[in-house]
């Protein structure tokens, strides 16, 4: 049995920080995915609207909250552009946060693995 | 000691195979849900008169769609799901077979270790 490395208070603090960061990272990944999905949906909807004939284009239902509001083609495109701009801003913000926290976690990993080697495991399974 | 390393390697292999099999089971479940949903859609579309209005929900937007186009889209989706299901079923049976073989291998190794241990114990008695 190899002698166990002693765990100092600083080490424990780093481990705790790593655990919190991991949770935050998971949430950010979900947020990024959600924003991407929204943008994809908006793009797809915009493409479909272009294909509508004049009659259908005069009245297109769009869900706002829990209601469907009827737009005409042009005003709906404006509405979707606005939503897309917002979603893209959110996406870039979340992506930046995700990159920053991932870099932080890599740094903590390096420090802890250097000290504890294979006595700890900080990698997510799969 | 070399035997022990070999044994651990085989156990890890078994663990990997079992994880992969779980993934395929999950895939199949998702496909079954999609199949059920698509069948329901097809049944509803079949009930419709040719002059009925059909809308497709894309994100938050309801886009008017031609009834025949909707029907053919659902038909294609059902075909795709069917072929995907067949592919996953094949993968499942293949990997299940591998799992069984690997499990037998591991159990055989375990047995031979036990017999060696017993033989050693017997030798010690004398």
């Amino acid at each position: 049995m190899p002698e166990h490395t002693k765990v100092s208070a600083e080490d424990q603090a780093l481990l705790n920080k790593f655990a919190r960061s991991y949770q935050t990272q998971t949430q950010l990944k979900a947020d990024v995915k959600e924003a991407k999905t929204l943008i994809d949906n908006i793009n797809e909807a915009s493409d479909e609207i272009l294909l509508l004939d004049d009659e259908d284009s005069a009245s297109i239902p769009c869900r706002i909250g829990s209601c469907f509001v009827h737009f005409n083609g042009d005003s709906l495109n404006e509405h979707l552009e606005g939503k897309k701009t917002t979603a893209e801003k959110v996406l870039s913000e979340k992506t930046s946060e995700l990159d920053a926290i991932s870099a932080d976690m890599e740094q903590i990993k390096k420090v802890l693995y250097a000290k504890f080697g294979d006595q700890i495991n900080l990698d997510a399974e799969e | 000691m070399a035997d022990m390393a070999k044994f651990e390697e085989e156990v890890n292999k078994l663990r990997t195979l079992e994880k992969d099999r779980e993934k395929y089971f999950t895939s199949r479940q998702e496909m079954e849900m999609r199949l059920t949903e698509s069948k329901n859609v097809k049944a509803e579309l079949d009930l419709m008169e040719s002059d009925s209005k059909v809308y497709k929900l894309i994100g938050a937007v309801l886009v008017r769609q031609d009834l025949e186009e909707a029907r053919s889209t659902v038909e294609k989706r059902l075909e795709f799901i069917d072929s995907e299901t067949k592919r996953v079923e094949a993968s499942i049976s293949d990997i299940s077979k591998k799992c069984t073989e690997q499990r037998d291998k591991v159990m055989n190794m375990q047995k031979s270790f036990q017999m060696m241990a017993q033989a050693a114990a017997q030798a010690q008695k004398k």
Side-chain angles (χ1 to χ4, degrees):
Chain A
M1 208 61 179
E3 186 182 348
H4 281 288
T5 312
K6 285 184 179 159
V7 185
S8 68
E10 293 107 297
D11 296 329
Q12 189 62 61
L14 273 184
L15 280 164
N16 292 347
K17 187 184 179 189
F18 186 85
R20 285 195 304 273
S21 295
Y22 180 77
Q23 234 158 291
T24 305
Q25 187 193 51
T26 303
Q27 181 60 51
L28 286 171
K29 279 179 178 175
D31 290 344
V32 165
K33 190 178 176 187
E34 190 185 332
K36 279 179 180 171
T37 300
L38 179 55
I39 291 168
D40 286 346
N41 281 338
I42 289 170
N43 285 333
E44 195 185 340
S46 295
D47 291 345
E48 290 288 334
I49 288 162
L50 288 178
L51 299 177
L52 292 174
D53 59 35
D54 287 345
E55 186 191 343
D56 290 330
S57 192
S59 176
I60 307 168
C62 177
R63 192 187 68 242
I64 299 181
S66 53
C67 296
F68 279 93
V69 178
H70 287 247
F71 289 83
N72 65 44
D74 291 337
S75 58
L76 184 53
N77 273 322
E78 281 174 35
H79 177 70
L80 291 179
E81 277 305 309
K83 284 184 76 137
K84 183 175 171 182
T85 303
T86 303
E88 278 170 347
K89 204 197 310 166
V90 168
L91 178 59
S92 69
E93 280 168 12
K94 297 293 180 183
T95 303
S96 297
E97 285 178 46
L98 180 57
D99 290 343
I101 206 161
S102 294
D104 261 3
M105 284 171 72
E106 283 303 315
Q107 192 56 40
I108 295 173
K109 239 188 220 181
K110 216 173 284 179
V111 172
L112 290 173
Y113 272 140
K115 182 164 184 181
F116 295 104
D118 59 0
Q119 292 172 59
I120 56 171
N121 178 23
L122 300 173
D123 295 297
E125 191 150 303
E126 280 180 353
Chain B
M1 219 51 197
D3 286 340
M4 214 53 208
K6 174 71 173 161
F7 179 71
E8 251 179 56
E9 187 189 319
E10 296 299 330
V11 170
N12 282 333
K13 213 180 278 183
L14 176 58
R15 201 173 288 132
T16 300
L17 284 170
E18 279 173 351
K19 263 182 218 160
D20 285 349
R21 192 177 60 167
E22 281 307 309
K23 266 190 234 161
Y24 283 128
F25 280 138
T26 304
S27 273
R28 187 171 65 173
Q29 225 162 19
E30 276 165 21
M31 241 159 277
E32 272 165 17
M33 278 164 63
R34 262 199 258 155
L35 179 67
T36 302
E37 188 185 354
S38 296
K39 274 181 176 173
N40 288 338
V41 172
K42 178 170 152 59
E44 291 294 329
L45 287 178
D46 286 346
L47 292 175
M48 290 188 171
E49 313 271 336
S50 59
D51 61 342
S52 302
K53 289 190 180 186
V54 176
Y55 289 89
K56 180 179 173 186
L57 185 64
I58 304 175
V61 181
L62 281 173
V63 181
R64 182 69 188 279
Q65 197 181 20
D66 182 69
L67 179 56
E68 287 309 316
E69 190 185 336
R71 279 179 175 154
S72 89
T73 299
V74 174
E75 287 285 355
K76 283 195 185 82
R77 190 179 300 145
L78 282 166
E79 279 164 25
F80 175 77
I81 290 170
D82 192 50
S83 68
E84 276 296 292
T85 300
K86 285 196 173 83
R87 189 181 63 80
V88 169
E89 291 284 359
S91 295
I92 283 174
S93 62
D94 179 56
I95 204 163
S96 288
K97 199 171 109 202
K98 280 179 181 163
C99 262
T100 303
E101 286 167 4
Q102 188 68 16
R103 196 178 293 117
D104 287 345
K105 196 173 180 182
V106 167
M107 274 162 79
N108 284 338
M109 278 178 133
Q110 222 165 24
K111 264 179 205 160
S112 68
F113 281 146
Q114 274 167 7
M115 286 194 297
M116 280 164 64
Q118 276 175 14
Q122 287 289 354
Q124 213 156 19
K125 269 185 181 178
K126 292 173 182 177

